[in-house]
Amino acid sequence: MQSLGELIGLEVLSDTLDHKENLAGVATEQLYLTRGSYHHLANQMKVGWHPDYKQILGGENESTK
C-alpha cells in the first residue's frame, strides 16, 4: 500500500508529464521540452515528485539551495 506522500507524488508527476508550458510566449506541442525542464530542476533538487523529497534524498546541500 502506498503512503499519502507517494500518492501525492504520483499525482504531481502525472500532472507535470502532461503539462505543456509556453516557451518564450509561444505555445508548444512538444512535451519533451517541458518534461526536460522539470527533470533538470529535479536533478538540482529544486522540485521533487514527493512532498518530502529533500528529506528522503538526503536533505539540502549547497547545490540544492
Side-chain angles (χ1 to χ4, degrees):
M1 184 168 179
Q2 295 176 318
S3 71
L4 178 59
E6 289 171 325
L7 293 173
I8 292 170
L10 287 171
E11 184 175 338
V12 170
L13 175 61
S14 176
D15 288 347
T16 58
L17 288 178
D18 293 334
H19 180 74
K20 296 176 190 168
E21 184 63 35
N22 288 342
L23 299 173
V26 178
T28 181
E29 292 298 315
Q30 288 75 24
L31 289 170
Y32 70 88
L33 296 170
T34 304
R35 288 179 181 174
S37 296
Y38 278 119
H39 286 289
H40 179 72
L41 291 170
N43 288 344
Q44 295 179 346
M45 301 248 327
K46 304 275 185 197
V47 300
W49 314 126
H50 189 284
D52 300 320
Y53 73 96
K54 286 186 180 178
Q55 293 171 338
I56 292 168
L57 296 176
E60 290 189 33
N61 60 42
E62 286 302 312
S63 66
T64 63
K65 291 184 180 176

